């Protein structure tokens, strides 16, 4: 990083931390409550990262901005919850995963392959089309009510740190477990990318399609694999979010929140998706709880986007993204 | 045979650069305008005006604005709904707070407000490009959504959050009947389409397209990317703002912020893609397609004798929509306008195959 | 290839004072040194060639001259103004135009529009008049159209004027690139490998165009070229770069005889 970029990023983070901590300094918030809000925000952020992860994976490997990731999350959750009515959890999970893999194959065959040399914006629009299609298809096949997803996540909140703070700090156990699942998934993915041959091939494809092809890596198969992995990530995100919110159409919209996360972290970075998610989750929660009342509430609808936008003005390629160099 | 240019020689650059250099085109367009202005008001049904023609015209105007930004200048925007909302609420406030203001002036002021907001949210485009910009424009969309829902001043402190436009009148004549509304909107849209055509054919249009195609080279020949992008945002927002005001005043009558939410933005983007990026005609074709498709899909099951719930119909709509977008992008990424151009080419050769 | 066999003798050009000078320009990308302490000057009305093996920094030099790259070190003097680095827009306003190795044409526009775009700096009418296309805006469009048509005639591409440039064969695209640069009526024209990828006939045509531009309009030309025959026949003076350094500077005959140049091309290592 150049000196200016380093300084700007540092300044941005300093501002963020100051903003996050300010309710305690200038307001009337006390540390335990602030900690509750902060923890809640961070945990929600992890869940955003889950969705963002799918986006980053696909962009890294195929250069496509997959707007349909949210629809995939919804579709996976819907499929799972409906299958669970007929079979035990483990079988339903396996079946849903198989369906997501089939979906990945179909998308590669019907959408990606015919559009292989088109510009990014055309592929982006195509994923918009896929998103619409999936939304309609999922609801047409599985129905459009709200379904409760019960995968055994803990539902009662727990009070921790009772010794240190009076009254303790309230933590949503479900969110905590979800964060744990997400962390495990990210660790597994990192292992996959770094240690296996397929992972290596995927990284090659992400770097340079043509070079990867010229050493014999089958691009089409790689894309099916990447979209399948993204499907897996979507399923995990669907389980986690669906368990928390119930499986319903608005899940698709939650995924819209993943967009500022990816912007912040940089489209091509997995650690970026995680750090971005944490920042967005934390910022959103704190601003809603402490700033919200002054503005009449509802700030979380736009805070994430505005935060990402402001950050991008300083670093147009995101936190960890690759610098865009225009060659003439 | 009929669509030949033989014998049509241009002797001045002015005649070569006119709007419709081919005689047959001129005849067709004039006939079309005569039909639209002079015949349609008498033969179309009220349903036709209310459900098809008026929304088609207003959304075409919005699509035209968006096409200038996305198609001609290459700046992806997902915040169009928000700018329509700015136009709508600005028009409302001007009409309600400054009574006796000429309706056209109200709309122009509304457009101007949308222009200011559009330029403001366009400034990031100088640093941020491509998908990043698309998501940044979502910030505009969601912020504007929130603004009109929460800040009571904009809705004149209405308790329900929804507002109604005052009755429409121009120079003392009321604009009440569907036919009158249709003519009013038609006149405005024709003027705006002409302006759009002039701009895209002129120096500013070339600056937009150069910035879209290769902004580094554009800078080297003296085009300021800053000016080009901001002017695209400004003109686009003006069009979109006026269309928002029209949508609220003429089509809806009374509305709430939801009428201009992110789904509207996506709908307009689809119009522009399916119709054809960088094409004036395309904006109209895309709007027609998107307006007519749900109506057709709604009628189809009953016509075919299949009974489907409204919920199911809307799911199928989404599926058809999504597949059509992918289909169009594969078959003709340049949209309906390109298909039209190909048809004209074939017509020129007819009856010869090539 | 000897151009003089194909074309009548080119009259001796009247070469003037230095119009462009670079002094001790150094440019690095990260750890890669593209240019090291390069200095030379270009006289008005002359044809100056920059040659050198691949990777010598020739394109980088042109990019520095018109401001696309900023050197870490050194100065550029153009028409009496000395600066640490140039700015693309400023250099365009002051009269530098260029073509690109990779064309950089506006693929979505027609030939006419591409060349008209080259006249952007000379078109002044504001957006409102353009929207109505009346008065000054209309007159300007027609007037500039006339000038652009002259350029199109000069480059012998009138049949292609309404074709989208993406559809033209490579040789014609190169002419459009040249036309776009000429449209600005520049004092100095930077040509980045204008003959790349052309056959003998196309090279003869392009050479003729370049010489005509220099003759008729007195435009100073700085060109990068790999074809030695072209360089020797067209240029008044030559600068040779190798690994970012200048290794020779003089008339074509002098440069051809220089041992350093021969070594560079043959790949003989020589101590810096």
């Amino acid at each position: 990083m150049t000196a200016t970029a380093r300084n700007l990023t540092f300044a941005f983070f300093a501002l963020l931390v100051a903003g996050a901590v300010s309710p305690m300094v200038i307001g009337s918030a006390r540390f335990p409550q602030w900690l509750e809000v902060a923890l809640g925000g961070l945990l929600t952020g992890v869940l955003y990262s889950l969705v963002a992860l799918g986006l980053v994976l696909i962009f890294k490997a195929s250069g496509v901005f997959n707007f349909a990731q949210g629809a995939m999350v919804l579709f996976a959750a819907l499929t799972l919850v409906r299958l669970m009515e007929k079979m035990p959890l483990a079988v339903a999970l396996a079946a849903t995963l198989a369906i997501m893999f089939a979906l990945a194959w179909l998308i590669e065959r019907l959408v990606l392959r015919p559009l292989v040399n088109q510009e990014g914006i055309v592929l982006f629009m195509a994923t918009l089309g896929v998103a619409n299609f999936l939304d309609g298809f999922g609801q047409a096949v599985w129905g459009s009510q709200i379904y409760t997803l019960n995968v055994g996540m803990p539902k009662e909140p727990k009070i921790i740190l009772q010794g240190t703070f009076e009254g303790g700090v309230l933590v949503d156990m479900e969110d905590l477990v979800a964060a744990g699942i997400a962390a495990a998934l990210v660790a597994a993915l990192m292992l996959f990318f770094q240690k296996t041959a397929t992972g290596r091939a995927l990284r090659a494809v992400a770097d340079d399609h043509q070079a990867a092809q010229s050493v014999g890596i089958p691009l089409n198969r790689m894309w099916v694999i990447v979209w399948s992995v993204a499907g897996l990530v979507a399923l995990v995100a669907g389980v986690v979010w669906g368990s928390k919110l119930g499986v319903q159409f608005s899940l698709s919209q939650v995924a819209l929140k993943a967009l500022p996360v990816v912007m912040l972290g940089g489209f091509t970075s997995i650690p970026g998706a995680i750090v971005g998610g944490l920042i967005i989750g934390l910022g959103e929660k704190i601003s809603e709880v402490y700033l919200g009342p002054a503005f009449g509430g509802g700030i979380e609808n736009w805070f994430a986007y505005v935060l990402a936008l402001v950050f991008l003005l300083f670093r147009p390629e995101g936190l960890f993204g690759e610098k865009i160099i225009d060659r003439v | 045979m009929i669509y030949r240019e033989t014998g049509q020689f241009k002797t001045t650059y002015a005649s070569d650069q006119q709007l419709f250099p081919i005689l047959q085109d001129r005849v067709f367009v004039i006939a079309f305008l005569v039909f639209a202005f002079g015949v349609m008001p008498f033969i179309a049904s009220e349903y036709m005006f209310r459900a098809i023609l008026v929304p088609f015209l207003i959304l075409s105007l919005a699509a035209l604005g968006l096409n200038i930004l996305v198609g001609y200048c290459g700046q992806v925007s997902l915040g169009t709904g928000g700018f329509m909302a700015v136009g709508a609420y600005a028009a409302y406030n001007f009409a309600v707070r400054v009574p006796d203001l000429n309706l056209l002036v109200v709309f122009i002021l509304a457009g101007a407000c949308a222009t200011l907001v559009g330029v403001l949210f366009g400034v990031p485009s100088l640093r941020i490009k491509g998908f990043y910009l698309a998501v940044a424009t979502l910030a505009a969309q969601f912020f504007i959504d929130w603004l009109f829902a929460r800040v009571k001043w904009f809705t004149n402190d209405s308790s329900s959050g929804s507002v109604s436009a005052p009755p429409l009148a121009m120079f003392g004549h009321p604009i009440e009947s569907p036919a009158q509304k249709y003519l009013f909107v038609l006149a405005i849209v024709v003027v705006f389409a002409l302006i759009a055509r002039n701009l895209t054919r002129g120096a500013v249009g070339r600056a937009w397209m150069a910035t879209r195609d290769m902004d580094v080279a554009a800078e080297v020949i003296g085009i300021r990317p800053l000016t080009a992008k901001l002017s695209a945002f400004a003109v686009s927002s003006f069009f979109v703002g006026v269309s928002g005001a029209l949508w609220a005043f003429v089509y809806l009558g009374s509305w709430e912020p939801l009428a201009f939410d992110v789904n509207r933005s996506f709908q307009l983007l689809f119009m522009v893609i399916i119709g054809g990026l960088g094409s004036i005609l395309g904006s109209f074709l895309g709007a027609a397609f998107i307006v007519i498709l749900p109506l057709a899909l709604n009628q189809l099951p009953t016509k075919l004798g299949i009974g489907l719930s409204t919920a199911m119909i809307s799911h199928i709509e989404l599926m058809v929509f999504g597949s059509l977008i992918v289909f169009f992008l594969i078959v003709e990424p340049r949209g309906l306008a390109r298909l039209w151009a190909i048809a004209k080419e074939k017509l020129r050769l007819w009856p010869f195959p090539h | 290839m000897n151009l003089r066999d194909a074309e009548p003798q080119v009259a001796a050009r009247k070469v003037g004072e230095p119009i462009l000078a670079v002094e001790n320009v150094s440019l690095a990308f990260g750890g890669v040194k593209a240019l090291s302490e390069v200095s030379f000057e270009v006289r008005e009305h002359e044809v100056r060639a920059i040659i050198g093996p691949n990777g010598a920094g020739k394109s980088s030099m042109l990019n520095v001259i018109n401001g696309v790259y900023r050197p870490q070190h050194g100065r550029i003097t153009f028409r009496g103004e000395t600066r640490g680095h140039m700015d693309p827009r400023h250099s365009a306003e002051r009269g530098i135009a260029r073509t690109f190795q990779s064309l950089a044409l506006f693929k979505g526009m027609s030939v006419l529009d591409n060349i008209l775009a080259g006249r952007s700096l000379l078109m002044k009418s504001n957006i409102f008049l353009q929207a109505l296309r009346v008065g000054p805006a209309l007159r300007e469009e027609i007037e500039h159209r006339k000038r652009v048509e002259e350029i199109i005639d000069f480059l012998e591409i009138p049949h292609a004027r309404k074709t989208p440039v993406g559809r033209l064969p490579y040789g014609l695209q190169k002419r459009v690139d040249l036309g776009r640069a000429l449209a600005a009526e520049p004092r100095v024209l930077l040509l980045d490998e204008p003959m790349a990828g052309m056959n003998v006939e196309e090279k003869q045509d392009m050479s003729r165009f370049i010489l005509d531009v220099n003759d008729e309009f007195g435009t100073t030309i700085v060109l990068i070229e790999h074809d030695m025959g072209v360089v020797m026949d067209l240029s008044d003076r030559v600068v040779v770069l190798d690994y970012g350094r200048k290794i020779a500077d003089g008339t074509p005959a002098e440069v051809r005889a220089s041992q350093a140049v021969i070594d560079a091309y043959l790949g003989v290592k020589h101590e810096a």
Side-chain angles (χ1 to χ4, degrees):
Chain A
M1 273 203 238
T2 64
T4 6
R6 220 189 349 256
N7 290 336
L8 281 173
T9 321
F10 186 68
F12 180 78
F13 274 110
L15 271 169
L16 261 184
V17 170
V21 171
S22 61
M24 288 190 288
V25 175
I26 59 174
S28 54
R30 282 174 20 244
F31 185 64
Q33 287 136 338
W34 182 89
L35 191 61
E36 252 171 47
V37 173
L39 272 176
L42 283 172
L43 290 174
T44 318
V46 170
L47 302 188
Y48 287 146
S49 306
L50 259 186
V51 184
L53 206 55
L55 276 172
V56 169
L57 282 174
I58 290 184
F59 192 80
K60 263 179 94 72
S62 51
V64 176
F65 181 28
N66 178 23
F67 199 82
Q69 190 70 20
M72 281 163 67
V73 169
L74 174 64
F75 184 71
L78 261 178
T79 311
L80 179 66
V81 92
R82 296 289 267 150
L83 284 180
M84 271 175 71
E85 290 170 10
K86 318 235 170 63
M87 39 185 108
L89 174 60
V91 180
L93 268 176
T96 312
L97 200 56
I99 292 180
M100 294 309 283
F101 289 166
L103 181 66
W105 184 84
L106 274 172
I107 291 180
E108 193 276 322
R109 200 71 180 66
L110 295 175
V111 178
L112 294 182
R113 215 184 289 189
L115 290 173
V116 72
N117 276 325
Q118 298 286 353
E119 309 161 4
I121 190 132
V122 173
L123 286 162
F124 168 65
M125 311 289 195
T127 61
L128 273 175
V130 170
N132 268 288
F133 183 84
L134 265 184
D135 276 342
F137 181 66
Q139 289 180 90
V141 170
W142 299 123
S144 48
Q145 312 158 278
I146 305 181
Y147 298 99
T148 343
L149 178 60
N150 187 358
V151 291
M153 300 277 258
K155 293 290 175 193
E156 285 104 37
K158 196 155 158 205
I159 303 188
I160 62 169
L161 297 175
Q162 268 175 316
T164 334
F165 302 107
E166 192 184 305
V169 169
L170 199 70
V171 166
D172 190 338
M173 280 311 288
E174 178 163 29
D175 281 351
L176 202 57
V177 171
I181 295 177
L185 181 64
V186 170
L189 281 175
M190 303 232 77
L191 271 175
F192 173 67
F193 276 109
Q194 302 287 352
K195 301 287 179 199
T196 68
T198 320
R200 220 177 4 255
L202 280 172
R203 279 187 293 138
V205 169
D207 247 359
D208 189 331
H209 289 180
Q210 287 188 319
Q213 257 184 324
S214 62
V215 296
I217 298 178
L219 271 185
N220 295 337
R221 187 137 31 105
M222 287 297 126
W223 288 339
V224 175
I225 294 179
V226 152
W227 281 72
S228 300
V229 173
L232 167 67
V233 171
L235 178 56
V236 173
V239 164
V240 161
W241 277 104
S243 179
K244 187 178 153 82
L245 293 179
V247 176
Q248 51 178 313
F249 186 61
S250 59
L251 266 189
S252 205
Q253 308 294 323
V254 156
L256 269 183
K257 275 289 174 57
L259 296 179
V261 169
V262 177
M263 275 166 71
L264 199 59
F267 270 95
T268 49
S269 159
I270 293 182
I274 299 165
V275 174
L278 290 174
I279 294 178
I280 296 272
L282 178 65
E284 214 181 48
K285 244 324 175 300
I286 294 213
S287 69
E288 179 62 43
V289 170
Y290 294 112
L291 268 182
F295 287 100
I299 291 200
E300 37 187 21
N301 289 342
W302 52 262
F303 185 81
Y305 291 94
V306 173
L307 186 63
L309 171 61
V310 168
F311 185 73
L312 279 184
L313 289 175
F314 294 103
R315 274 178 72 74
E317 65 275 5
L319 258 178
F320 299 102
E322 287 148 14
K323 230 174 161 56
I324 316 154
I325 303 184
D326 280 317
R327 300 234 100 201
V328 177
Chain B
M1 263 341 176
I2 41 175
Y3 197 58
R4 291 294 203 157
E5 288 163 65
T6 49
Q8 295 180 40
F9 297 110
K10 306 287 181 291
T11 49
T12 61
Y13 292 124
S15 61
D16 188 52
Q17 282 177 327
Q18 66 186 287
L19 199 49
F20 296 107
I22 304 177
L23 178 65
Q24 290 90 333
D25 277 342
R26 274 204 297 281
V27 168
F28 179 73
V29 168
I30 292 179
F32 182 77
L33 285 175
V34 164
F35 176 76
F37 276 102
V39 177
M40 190 65 115
F42 298 106
I43 61 169
S45 67
E46 194 177 299
Y47 174 76
M48 187 76 164
F49 286 129
R50 264 223 303 259
I52 302 184
L53 290 173
V54 168
F56 156 67
L57 283 171
I58 302 179
L59 290 177
S60 302
L61 183 58
L64 204 50
L66 185 60
N67 212 339
I68 286 178
L69 187 59
V70 181
Y72 284 97
C73 196
Q75 309 298 308
V76 182
S77 166
L78 291 176
T80 336
F83 297 135
M84 277 181 90
V86 173
Y89 282 100
Y92 172 73
N93 275 284
F94 277 115
V96 160
R97 290 170 200 276
V98 186
D100 299 328
L101 203 53
N102 183 302
L103 195 59
L104 281 178
V105 174
V106 168
F107 286 149
I108 296 207
L109 285 172
C113 289
T115 305
L116 285 173
V117 176
V119 169
L120 181 68
F121 278 100
V123 169
S125 74
L126 307 172
R127 291 270 288 170
I128 309 173
K129 302 192 179 185
F131 305 131
Y132 291 98
L133 182 63
V135 185
T137 53
L138 277 178
Q141 172 72 53
F142 290 125
F143 180 75
I144 293 175
D145 274 351
W146 173 85
L147 194 66
F148 288 126
R150 299 290 165 155
V151 179
K152 289 296 169 199
W153 185 86
F154 290 115
T155 51
N156 214 9
D157 295 316
S158 120
S159 49
S160 61
S162 75
V163 294
S164 297
L168 303 169
M170 271 264 296
F171 307 119
H173 296 294
I175 305 176
E176 276 170 349
S177 79
Q180 285 172 327
K181 291 185 176 179
Y182 158 74
L183 283 172
F184 179 63
V185 173
L186 180 65
I188 294 183
V189 171
V190 165
V191 168
F192 270 78
L194 190 63
I195 291 178
R197 192 80 175 84
N198 286 338
L199 285 175
T200 54
R201 281 189 303 159
V204 88
R206 284 191 293 270
W208 289 340
M209 293 192 273
T211 311
R212 171 196 69 194
D213 285 342
M214 194 138 285
D215 53 356
V216 182
E219 209 178 344
V220 164
I221 61 175
I223 294 174
R224 280 204 173 94
L226 168 71
T227 319
K229 289 182 188 177
L230 286 184
S231 65
F233 269 99
V235 173
S236 168
S237 310
F238 187 73
F239 276 52
V240 170
V242 171
S243 80
L246 282 173
W247 188 253
F249 275 49
V250 180
Y251 180 63
L252 290 176
S254 46
W255 70 94
E256 24 166 59
L258 266 179
F260 302 109
D261 70 355
V262 71
N263 292 313
R264 178 74 59 204
S265 301
F266 281 120
Q267 188 194 44
L268 288 168
L269 191 62
F270 291 149
M271 283 182 206
V272 164
I273 304 168
I274 291 185
L277 288 166
S279 156
I280 308 260
L281 178 65
S283 316
F284 286 97
L285 293 175
F289 186 80
I290 302 268
V291 164
I292 295 182
L293 183 68
L295 295 173
L297 281 179
N298 258 305
Q299 312 281 2
L300 200 57
T302 27
K303 294 263 168 71
L304 288 180
I306 316 170
L308 288 171
S309 68
T310 22
M312 187 55 102
I313 291 187
S314 66
H315 299 324
I316 295 186
E317 234 180 79
L318 279 175
M319 285 170 62
V320 171
F321 221 55
S323 346
L324 274 174
I325 289 182
V326 174
F327 175 76
F328 263 107
L329 288 172
I330 294 176
V331 162
E332 184 47 82
R334 314 245 293 279
L336 289 170
R338 180 92 190 107
L339 289 177
W340 176 276
I342 293 177
K344 283 210 318 191
E345 288 286 311
K346 297 252 189 267
L347 191 57
R348 276 172 129 156
L349 297 169
W350 185 80
F352 304 106
H354 59 86
Chain C
M1 180 184 90
N2 193 340
L3 284 173
R4 298 244 164 86
D5 293 329
E7 294 293 326
Q9 285 274 11
V10 174
R13 292 176 217 106
K14 261 211 289 248
V15 169
E17 293 306 304
I19 188 176
L20 170 69
V22 299
E23 274 177 84
N24 295 323
V25 164
S26 295
L27 176 71
F29 299 108
V32 178
K33 275 187 145 299
L35 296 167
S36 300
E37 307 281 317
V38 177
S39 304
F40 62 89
E41 105 277 339
V42 180
R43 290 173 179 273
E44 197 161 11
H45 308 311
E46 79 170 327
V47 177
R48 195 87 149 98
I50 303 181
I51 66 174
N54 278 322
K58 310 187 290 292
S59 284
S60 302
M61 191 70 244
L62 280 193
N63 281 334
V64 164
I65 291 176
N66 93 313
V68 174
Y69 292 159
R70 296 188 176 192
Q72 275 76 26
H73 193 59
R75 295 186 310 180
I76 303 136
T77 308
F78 180 58
R79 291 176 68 185
E81 235 182 45
T82 306
R83 300 167 134 228
H85 62 82
M86 297 292 278
D87 176 75
R89 188 186 164 76
H90 183 79
S91 61
E93 279 171 358
R94 293 283 290 157
I96 302 181
R98 66 169 293 177
T99 64
F100 297 88
Q101 197 174 1
S102 56
L103 286 182
L105 288 175
F106 305 126
K107 291 258 153 66
M109 301 204 269
S110 68
V111 168
L112 201 51
D113 280 336
N114 263 276
I115 303 182
L116 267 170
R119 288 192 79 73
S120 299
L121 278 175
L122 300 162
M123 298 183 85
K124 303 278 183 230
S125 70
N126 73 46
I127 194 168
F128 293 103
L129 288 177
Q130 283 180 42
L132 299 172
R133 207 172 170 89
V134 289
L138 187 59
R139 278 197 294 273
E140 220 183 39
E141 281 283 313
I142 296 178
E143 192 191 297
H144 288 290
R145 169 79 186 265
K146 256 192 266 194
R147 293 287 297 128
V148 167
E149 288 286 344
E150 286 167 19
I151 293 175
I152 290 180
D153 277 338
F154 170 71
L155 292 170
E156 296 169 8
I157 44 175
H159 55 284
R161 66 161 75 77
K162 296 257 171 96
T163 320
V165 294
R167 290 211 221 140
L168 291 175
Y170 182 73
L172 291 186
Q173 284 184 347
K174 277 240 174 244
R175 284 196 214 173
V176 176
D177 201 17
L178 179 60
R180 186 177 60 178
L182 289 176
E185 296 177 16
R187 297 283 290 270
V188 173
L189 190 55
L190 307 174
L191 301 174
D192 197 342
E193 299 202 32
M195 319 269 185
M198 289 189 173
N199 61 33
V200 172
E201 275 169 31
E202 287 170 332
K203 286 195 191 185
Q204 286 180 344
D205 285 336
M206 190 56 104
S207 307
R208 188 163 36 91
F209 295 140
I210 295 175
L211 284 177
D212 281 346
V213 167
N214 179 258
D215 255 352
E216 278 178 40
F217 307 117
T219 315
T220 312
I221 308 222
V222 179
L223 92 129
I224 296 178
E225 226 344 285
H226 277 300
D227 184 328
M228 281 308 125
V230 166
V231 170
M232 299 304 161
D233 283 332
L234 282 186
S235 37
D236 295 317
R237 289 193 301 154
V238 180
V239 173
V240 187
L241 297 180
D242 186 28
Y243 286 113
R245 286 177 211 278
K246 184 173 85 169
I247 59 172
D249 184 350
T251 66
E254 287 166 12
V255 159
R256 185 168 24 201
S258 151
Q259 188 59 40
V261 174
I262 297 174
D263 284 348
Y265 272 97
L266 287 178
V268 172
K269 251 205 278 237
H270 65 161
E271 301 306 304

